Amino acid sequence: MSAHRRKTSRRRARPRRIGRTLLITGCALTVMAGGTAWYLYRDLASSIGSSKALEGAEKSAHGDLNILLIGLDSRRDQNGDPLPEEVLDQLHAGSSDIGGYNANTMILLHVPGDGSKAKAFSIPRDDFVDLSGVPGHGKDKIKKAYGLAKSAKEDQLTAQGVNDRRRLEHEGREAGRKAQIDTVRNFLGVPVDHFAELNLAGFYHLADALGGVPVCLKKPVKDKYSGADFPAGRQTLNGKESLAFVRQRHGLEMGDLDRTKRQQAFLAGATQKLNSAGTFTDPAKLLKLIDTAKQDVVTDAGWDLLAFVKQAKNLSGGKVQFTTLPVEGFGRNHGEDINVVDDMKIKRLIAEQIGPQATATPSAPGAASSPSSPPPPSSSSSPAASPPAPPSPTEQPGIIDGGGIPCVD
């Protein structure tokens, strides 16, 4: 072969070699990306604190999901140890000795199996209900089920000679979760398929992991108790500001009931940010979110989080209808303020909103009890003389445009 032909042949072979190299490199990167995603998912699934509180519980039918989001008013980590002082200072939430284990945030998220609009129901923490998850306790504020059951379980174990602090904390919390879920399930009359529990630090870390959470206020607010100090309009809050935003109740016309709308707004903003920030395609952001989940989140064992994350991408941009469950009035019980609620009315509202497709499979453990008319508060209770009108169960549009997220007081 002549020198000219050999040179021409080498020229033709070079692009083919480059093409093959690029193809092989592309395939390798694809495999590596897939492997990294799978590794991250396995790391996430194995590291998030998983609970057995829902073992044997009834499930929704037709592919529907009811997910209970629980926010604990606790200044302690998952092992019961106090949060670091520098974190407590950022949280503006006082000492680790206060707050206890009340479930101050409860939101039932209903995700229909047919892909239709999801609905989220906020349960005011002071609703006076039957604490069915705490045997022998009777009626009290719904938020107390967790802490009362946790304390009772720890007392039982201590009486049996158990003195390992970590075991007491773990088994006490498991009893608290089960009691809180049972109480909510019986109050609403629907099954709970999954749950996620977040402590106070979780709001702080989640907002920081997302690079801030967008919210919208109808008017400026300033509250020395929570540390809230925000102008009106749409704005992005960092971790410290986010916690102040969801904790504020002083200075709000409806107090705790307005605070439930803050919690809804935070959830809507976090979901929007989660999807718009490219978190699931950015390894650095994803790792930071996973680290946050490891620190602060507990879910039920066996929940396929990856499948839900894919589904959750459809829950932003106004695709979730938020509702605060109605309150009939206000009263007192053993010196504490309570919300007087109509159990039957609540169950009817939930049934109408969710529809018959959410009916649970029969004969499952922990099934909701038959609804009954709620008794009035105990003899030491007295309804408020002129209770404010209960809030509308549907979110009203704000004067200021929130750009796809609700504007709240």
Side-chain angles (χ1 to χ4, degrees):
M1 182 183 295
S2 69
H4 175 72
R5 292 181 63 186
R6 286 197 298 271
K7 190 173 182 181
T8 302
S9 178
R10 285 196 295 270
R11 285 199 196 104
R12 291 174 180 170
R14 190 176 297 116
R16 288 199 295 268
R17 286 197 298 271
I18 293 172
R20 283 198 298 269
T21 301
L22 290 174
L23 179 61
I24 292 169
T25 303
C27 290
L29 287 174
T30 300
V31 170
M32 288 173 64
T36 300
W38 175 243
Y39 169 78
L40 289 174
Y41 169 61
R42 289 189 62 186
D43 185 47
L44 172 65
S46 63
S47 302
I48 287 184
S50 58
S51 165
K52 297 182 180 180
L54 277 175
E55 277 193 352
E58 59 180 343
K59 300 294 183 182
S60 297
H62 309 294
D64 290 0
L65 287 179
N66 290 331
I67 301 164
L68 181 61
L69 308 177
I70 302 173
L72 288 185
D73 190 25
S74 172
R75 279 74 165 167
R76 295 178 178 270
D77 64 17
Q78 293 181 21
N79 296 317
D81 296 323
L83 295 173
E85 285 299 325
E86 60 271 20
V87 174
L88 288 173
D89 289 343
Q90 288 292 312
L91 298 184
H92 201 87
S95 164
S96 61
D97 295 326
I98 63 177
Y101 287 89
N102 287 332
N104 275 0
T105 302
M106 288 161 284
I107 299 176
L108 185 78
L109 176 64
H110 174 71
V111 184
D114 62 6
S116 57
K117 193 169 189 175
K119 298 178 180 179
F121 303 91
S122 287
I123 307 167
R125 64 176 186 168
D126 290 340
D127 283 3
F128 192 68
V129 305
D130 179 19
L131 300 189
S132 48
V134 187
H137 189 75
K139 292 178 75 73
D140 211 323
K141 296 182 180 183
I142 194 169
K143 69 177 183 181
K144 290 186 176 183
Y146 193 115
L148 289 170
K150 178 181 184 293
S151 179
K153 182 65 175 180
E154 290 173 350
D155 289 346
Q156 177 191 12
L157 290 172
T158 300
Q160 295 171 358
V162 176
N163 56 19
D164 181 82
R165 187 178 64 82
R166 288 293 176 91
R167 180 183 171 188
L168 291 171
E169 182 72 15
H170 173 73
E171 294 195 30
R173 286 205 180 193
E174 282 289 83
R177 291 166 189 139
K178 187 175 188 310
Q180 196 66 57
I181 293 167
D182 285 349
T183 297
V184 169
R185 177 170 51 216
N186 290 339
F187 178 47
L188 302 185
V190 295
V192 174
D193 302 287
H194 298 295
F195 83 93
E197 172 190 306
L198 196 69
N199 63 13
L200 271 182
F203 287 97
Y204 172 82
H205 291 138
L206 175 61
D208 274 357
L210 291 173
V213 172
V215 301
C216 179
L217 284 167
K218 296 178 183 177
K219 55 189 178 184
V221 295
K222 189 168 186 177
D223 170 41
K224 65 178 182 179
Y225 297 100
S226 64
D229 187 0
F230 309 121
R234 183 182 170 106
Q235 54 209 284
T236 298
L237 306 183
N238 62 26
K240 180 179 180 180
E241 293 166 338
S242 292
L243 188 64
F245 176 82
V246 298
R247 289 186 66 240
Q248 184 186 359
R249 61 190 174 95
H250 297 281
L252 301 180
E253 184 178 353
M254 297 299 293
D256 267 347
L257 299 183
D258 278 339
R259 181 156 69 170
T260 63
K261 295 183 180 180
R262 293 285 190 90
Q263 295 160 0
Q264 295 167 1
F266 178 86
L267 181 61
T271 305
Q272 186 188 74
K273 186 63 179 287
L274 191 67
N275 292 331
S276 65
T279 303
F280 300 110
T281 58
D282 186 324
K285 290 180 180 178
L286 186 57
L287 281 170
K288 191 171 183 180
L289 189 62
I290 288 171
D291 284 339
T292 297
K294 288 178 186 178
Q295 292 180 73
D296 306 311
V297 180
V298 175
T299 66
D300 54 291
W303 186 6
D304 188 345
L305 289 173
L306 183 61
F308 179 71
V309 161
K310 291 177 180 177
Q311 191 175 23
K313 291 182 180 181
N314 298 320
L315 301 183
S316 64
K319 295 179 182 177
V320 180
Q321 176 183 322
F322 287 96
T323 300
T324 300
L325 296 182
V327 169
E328 301 304 304
F330 305 94
R332 301 277 291 174
N333 181 63
H334 298 299
E336 294 184 330
D337 294 326
I338 61 169
N339 299 331
V340 180
V341 294
D342 184 334
D343 298 50
M344 287 288 287
K345 182 176 179 180
I346 296 292
K347 287 182 172 67
R348 283 196 301 269
L349 184 149
I350 294 293
E352 290 167 1
Q353 291 285 322
I354 291 179
Q357 70 271 18
T359 303
T361 52
S363 304
S369 58
S370 300
S372 58
S373 297
S378 66
S379 57
S380 62
S381 306
S382 57
S386 301
S392 169
T394 57
E395 182 69 57
Q396 298 299 320
I399 298 174
I400 300 174
D401 181 15
I405 56 175
C407 287
V408 294
D409 288 325

